[in-house]
Amino acid sequence: MEVKKFASFRVVIINGKLYVDYYYDCVQSRAMFTIWGFLQLLKRFPGRIPDVDMMFDCMDKPLIERNSSNTPLPIFRYCTTPNHYDIPFPDWSFWGWPEINIGPWEEEFQSIKEGSQKQSWKNKYPYAYWRGNPDVVSPIREALLQCNDTEQWGAEIMRQNWTREVMDGFKQSKLSNQCNHRYKIYAEGYAWSVSLKYILACGCVPLIINPKYDDFFSRGLFPKRNYLPISPENICPSIKTAVEWGNENPIKAEEIGKSVQDFMERLNIDRIYDYMYHLIVEYAKLLDFKPVRPSTSHEECVDSLYCFADQKQTVFLARSATMPSEAPPCMLPQQANRQIDKMMIAQKANIINSTQLLM
């Protein structure tokens, strides 16, 4: 099986039971919380998940390039690009990220939203804010460090030292305390970054340095409606232009912030499980073989993960546990309108390109 060399583990579901064949260790607890997500999906929709066989990779960068000369290799991961076949799946942090003290998405979103409402829009700092780790082989983040001047560029750029945060008990990294600026910057790291959803949840105007990567929900964001695009070739001047526009047009800027926060509020755990359900159902229809349990796989269940989890991980797992849904998954349109999708993609590209010319 050629795709195996790209995968970190294999997920097989048969008659509602989950079997996992592990190939290599993922970073931190990514595998544990991703598998937990599968278990919660099975619990959420008992008897509804079809038998399926999926290859999954837990690293950041997509690997399966679109090449007409090769048969696409199906693999799931946390992000993709228009030039890759990798299939985007909700990342582990929707169920929690204990290593940096980030709770399940439902908890974090509510906390961030409440934090964002502590100050009115006009009382928020009138410049852009970014806090993160630039030391991840990211030219974009390295260039962003040069924009740390509120007078010249209208931006405050902060280096996040996670080692110190762990030692200090994460006192300075609470996400709900980072919504005090009118604008927040999103910059990809080594590849896609988990930070996107937390930035969008703030209700600030997201200044997104045009990304190469998409996760499963970011494809639905629309420039100038949900965020302002920032040119990666002229980062500092682009940020300055966006901040000046927002400060000169406070009503429109505040509307963008509210629009994207509403977008993220609709991305609740119900919708995430709906996406997972439909993705697996549609993928299972494409299989031309009957899924069989791999001989080297482990049957995973709630108790088996608890056995491997340390004390902190156990607490985080329990906080994101679900219950059987009283309602069925949402309904998909009977037929996708690919023409509308193509038009939307073209419109987004035109807006981004025209904005870059102005910046």
Side-chain angles (χ1 to χ4, degrees):
M1 187 179 295
E2 187 179 355
V3 71
K4 179 179 177 179
K5 65 184 180 182
F6 298 104
S8 52
F9 55 85
R10 179 181 181 183
V11 170
V12 179
I13 297 174
I14 301 174
N15 295 327
K17 292 186 176 182
L18 181 69
Y19 305 98
V20 184
D21 203 5
Y22 296 96
Y23 302 138
Y24 70 83
D25 291 336
C26 296
V27 176
Q28 298 180 336
S29 56
R30 289 187 181 193
M32 176 183 292
F33 280 81
T34 301
I35 298 303
W36 180 257
F38 278 103
L39 289 171
Q40 299 312 299
L41 177 67
L42 291 169
K43 186 177 180 181
R44 187 81 166 188
F45 300 126
R48 290 181 175 270
I49 308 302
D51 291 0
V52 71
D53 189 331
M54 306 164 60
M55 287 293 187
F56 204 105
D57 187 37
C58 61
M59 300 305 287
D60 290 342
K61 283 192 174 182
L63 297 174
I64 313 301
E65 295 182 358
R66 289 181 179 268
N67 188 327
S68 58
S69 64
N70 295 326
T71 301
L73 299 176
I75 192 166
F76 293 78
R77 71 171 64 251
Y78 307 125
C79 71
T80 190
T81 81
N83 299 317
H84 289 83
Y85 282 116
D86 302 63
I87 304 167
F89 196 86
D91 74 81
W92 75 96
S93 66
F94 280 102
W95 294 274
W97 192 355
E99 287 85 357
I100 59 172
N101 208 42
I102 291 180
W105 170 240
E106 294 280 82
E107 292 181 13
E108 288 295 341
F109 176 81
Q110 290 303 321
S111 176
I112 292 170
K113 184 177 181 181
E114 290 172 8
S116 73
Q117 296 171 341
K118 290 180 179 179
Q119 288 183 311
S120 65
W121 178 266
K122 68 177 183 178
N123 289 329
K124 292 181 184 291
Y125 296 114
Y127 39 83
Y129 179 79
W130 182 83
R131 185 186 185 98
N133 179 12
D135 304 318
V136 289
V137 194
S138 170
I140 291 295
R141 291 190 178 185
E142 291 174 4
L144 182 60
L145 294 176
Q146 307 305 313
C147 308
N148 185 27
D149 190 321
T150 56
E151 293 295 326
Q152 183 177 7
W153 303 119
E156 181 180 1
I157 311 300
M158 306 289 288
R159 181 185 290 268
Q160 178 71 67
N161 186 326
W162 283 114
T163 302
R164 183 177 299 170
E165 281 300 304
V166 172
M167 295 175 62
D168 292 344
F170 303 98
K171 294 177 182 177
Q172 304 301 320
S173 59
K174 190 172 177 60
L175 295 173
S176 59
N177 293 336
Q178 298 182 36
C179 300
N180 300 319
H181 298 70
R182 295 179 187 174
Y183 316 91
K184 288 200 72 174
I185 300 166
Y186 171 71
E188 290 180 332
Y190 174 68
W192 148 91
S193 173
V194 165
S195 65
L196 177 61
K197 59 180 172 289
Y198 307 116
I199 290 171
L200 301 179
C202 250
C204 313
V205 176
L207 306 185
I208 297 182
I209 302 174
N210 293 339
K212 295 180 180 179
Y213 305 93
D214 292 309
D215 60 19
F216 80 100
F217 70 85
S218 63
R219 295 172 293 182
L221 298 172
F222 206 85
K224 292 191 174 180
R225 183 187 305 163
N226 305 124
Y227 70 94
L228 296 181
I230 299 299
S231 168
E233 287 78 28
N234 298 286
I235 295 177
C236 299
S238 290
I239 291 173
K240 178 181 174 65
T241 300
V243 168
E244 289 178 346
W245 175 87
N247 290 338
E248 292 170 1
N249 299 273
I251 294 177
K252 292 181 179 179
E254 187 174 3
E255 286 175 351
I256 292 174
K258 186 178 187 307
S259 170
V260 73
Q261 190 176 63
D262 290 345
F263 180 99
M264 297 309 293
E265 188 162 26
R266 292 192 296 272
L267 186 69
N268 55 42
I269 199 66
D270 294 335
R271 300 290 78 78
I272 293 165
Y273 285 127
D274 284 347
Y275 174 84
M276 293 166 65
Y277 168 80
H278 286 295
L279 182 66
I280 291 173
V281 166
E282 296 303 315
Y283 181 74
K285 292 177 183 177
L286 301 175
L287 298 183
D288 58 3
F289 61 91
K290 181 178 177 62
V292 176
R293 176 182 179 177
S295 60
T296 53
S297 67
H298 300 267
E299 181 178 350
E300 297 290 14
C301 63
V302 170
D303 288 341
S304 67
L305 286 197
Y306 279 150
C307 285
F308 283 102
D310 61 29
Q311 185 175 3
K312 186 173 184 179
Q313 290 168 343
T314 300
V315 171
F316 274 69
L317 291 172
R319 283 163 58 184
S320 59
T322 191
M323 296 294 292
S325 176
E326 296 180 358
C330 68
M331 298 290 291
L332 290 181
Q334 290 187 351
Q335 187 173 3
N337 192 324
R338 297 186 182 278
Q339 190 61 33
I340 292 179
D341 291 342
K342 290 180 180 179
M343 289 175 58
M344 181 177 175
I345 292 171
Q347 288 175 357
K348 290 173 65 172
N350 288 337
I351 291 174
I352 290 171
N353 291 335
S354 63
T355 302
Q356 287 188 18
L357 291 175
L358 295 175
M359 293 181 175

